[in-house]
Amino acid sequence: ECSREEMRDLGTSYWHLDHQWPGAWVCLRHRNVLRVGLAKVNHRGRFHWLLPHHMAHIEAGPSVDLEGSYRLLATLTEFAC
């Protein structure tokens, strides 16, 4: 959701520090489970600058019942941040 809003409003997306911390599981602004960005990085490409809209994304873990788990995941994320 963050990336979609940035693409619409700014024309590009960027990485959010609060999404990068170990233990961060949700976007506290949008109440969404965070996703993992996939990029195939070879020997030469390992130093390229990749933005969120340059790659595909997958779920970070098994599907969760966000309604039942959000409070715990948000607390973990707040602590990590």
Side-chain angles (χ1 to χ4, degrees):
E1 192 62 33
C2 290
S3 185
R4 272 186 242 145
E5 282 182 4
E6 292 153 9
M7 290 299 291
R8 181 190 70 224
D9 299 342
L10 306 172
T12 191
S13 60
Y14 57 91
W15 298 109
H16 294 256
L17 182 60
D18 287 350
H19 294 174
Q20 303 299 311
W21 295 113
W25 289 97
V26 296
C27 172
L28 297 172
R29 179 175 175 199
H30 295 105
R31 297 180 52 102
N32 291 335
V33 175
L34 295 176
R35 299 172 62 86
V36 175
L38 298 176
K40 184 174 181 180
V41 180
N42 60 21
H43 176 68
R44 278 190 233 150
R46 71 180 184 264
F47 298 113
H48 290 174
W49 183 263
L50 299 173
L51 293 171
H53 63 275
H54 292 144
M55 57 184 66
H57 296 87
I58 61 167
E59 297 293 329
S63 287
V64 296
D65 170 23
L66 195 55
E67 291 303 315
S69 304
Y70 181 78
R71 176 171 272 148
L72 175 61
L73 294 175
T75 300
L76 289 169
T77 300
E78 288 170 357
F79 183 72
C81 292

